[in-house]
Every structure is written in structure tokens, then in C-alpha cells.
Amino acid sequence: MNLQQPSGWPRWLWQLLPSVFGLIFMPLAQAEVSHVSINQRLFDLAKPPLIKVNIVAGPQDPDRLQFILRQKSGEEKLMVQQINNYMLLLMGVEEVNDPNALLLVQQYQGEQWLEIGQLPVFAKSVPVGNPPDPSRFSLYRNPTGKKVPESAVVATKPAITPATKAAPVVPAAVARDGQCTLEYHGTETLWRLATQYAKQWHTNVYAAALAIMAANPKAFVKGKPGNLRSDVRLHCPAAPQWELYADKTRAKEKFEALM
């Protein structure tokens, strides 16, 4: 149907009318997220992703966003930690080996995740920064700023018994009460711990992370992997806790469901 310009209307106003209607009927969610961009890439090739992004959105909208890192080997949903009202920190555990990797930005709309942007991670225009030091990094994720006194944990090797001779030696600390605890000083992320122990436990990093969480449920605020408290001792998980997720695909699905 062709609309006729009403008599007496200025031509410029008639030409502007479609744009005005477009703004009026713009979906609310789309209007609330007006800008997402990479602030800094804090990692290099062959390292796990660590990215700061700028965001201009409504108060509740960051919770309706998710970020996927896509490379040739597959995709990984990144952990999101809010630095302030305009900046997020994205973290992952899979090494990025594709120089053409993309950061996919998705928003939850109409009961489904819709892609609203693709950002080249290694583009020349992306600023590159150094990873934050452990003390600053812990402020991004830890609900408390307290640290476990080093005197409270004594580093040593776990005792070897006939039943464990064939098992790989896991670097751990033994607390004074004799309980096995992981080497954790309140500054490491769950991902760093899981990456270290996954190699020792001969399992995937997702299984190691889930096992650590299962053995230390009170160490994670609201049960979130990114909310590891800095003032706790982390108990060593038992082998069945990581063997339960020997299937990496299943472990990844379970882990991402907790994010």
C-alpha cells in the first residue's frame, strides 16, 4: 500500500516519519543494549581467553547476555564477571589457537539466545593489555578480600600407601588437622586450579573444576564457579568426583549449566 504525503506537511518531515516509527517500535531489549565492544585482550595465542569488554546496557541486561568464543576447534561459553557498570571481564579455560577467533555476543530474547554481534578477538584495532596481577584479579571475582594465612597450610606431599602407589601424585597441601587440601592461597581462579590438577588427575579441566566444587560447596558463593571465596581452604576431591565427568562433553554441559 502506497501512502500519500498529506497536504501541508513539509517534505523533510514526511521523509523522517519511517525512522520515527522505527524508533518507537524498536524492541525493548535491543534498545537497552546499545553498545558492546572489546576493551582489552589480556591474553595471547595458545593461552586461555581473558577479555575485558565495554558495555552500555540497562540495569538488568548484563544478566541476559552471554559470550561465546568461537575458533576452528570449537566454541566455549565464557565466564562473565562484572567489573563495574560499564565493563565486564570474560574468562575461559580452553586455549585459543585460532588467530581468527571471534567473540560472539548473544542476548536472551523471546525465550531464546539471539546473536547480536561478532567481535574479532585478534583484530589489530583491539587494544592488548597485560593480565592483572593476582591481587587485582581476585578483586574481580572474590566476594571477600581476605586471604588464608600461609602459616595455616603446610605444603607437603600426600602420603603414599599401597592403595595409592599406582595413582598419580597430586600436588596438595596438608592442613594441620591432617586433612588433604589443595594448594590455594586465595588469589588463584578456579580455572587455574582446575587446569593444574586436571593434568595430575588425568582428566579434563571441566571434570577437575566440578570435582573441586563438589568437594567444597561452601567455598563458592551461590554455587557459581566464578564466585570462589578467597578466605577458605579447598579440600582435595576424591577420585570418583572427577571420574564422574570423564566424558568431557558431559562435563562441559554440566559446568556451563552452573554459570
Side-chain angles (χ1 to χ4, degrees), residues 134-150 153 182-190 193 228-234:
S135 59
R136 290 186 60 195
F137 192 85
S138 64
L139 296 179
Y140 292 161
R141 61 181 179 82
N142 289 340
T144 69
K146 299 179 181 178
K147 295 183 179 181
V148 179
E150 293 185 4
V153 177
L182 303 182
E183 291 186 27
Y184 175 60
H185 303 96
T187 57
E188 301 93 332
T189 63
L190 173 61
L193 291 170
L228 174 58
R229 294 170 52 185
S230 60
D231 60 343
V232 295
R233 294 178 183 175
L234 295 179

Side-chain angles (χ1 to χ4, degrees), residues 170-172 182-183 193-202 208 212:
V170 179
L182 303 182
E183 291 186 27
L193 291 170
T195 300
Q196 174 187 354
Y197 284 97
K199 297 176 181 178
Q200 298 295 327
W201 298 337
H202 297 288
I212 293 172

Side-chain angles (χ1 to χ4, degrees), residues 41 43-49 51 69-75 94-103 119-123:
R41 171 171 57 83
F43 74 104
D44 296 318
L45 279 172
K47 299 291 185 181
I51 305 169
L69 194 140
R70 174 185 292 170
Q71 57 178 323
K72 290 180 179 179
S73 60
E75 296 182 350
E94 299 285 354
E95 291 184 356
V96 181
N97 297 298
D98 184 358
N100 297 314
L102 294 174
L103 179 64
L119 306 175
V121 176
F122 293 98

Side-chain angles (χ1 to χ4, degrees), residues 92-123:
V93 296
E94 299 285 354
E95 291 184 356
V96 181
N97 297 298
D98 184 358
N100 297 314
L102 294 174
L103 179 64
L104 310 183
V105 184
Q106 299 180 348
Q107 186 176 24
Y108 194 72
Q109 301 179 28
E111 299 185 354
Q112 61 179 326
W113 288 100
L114 300 178
E115 187 173 298
I116 62 174
Q118 294 187 1
L119 306 175
V121 176
F122 293 98

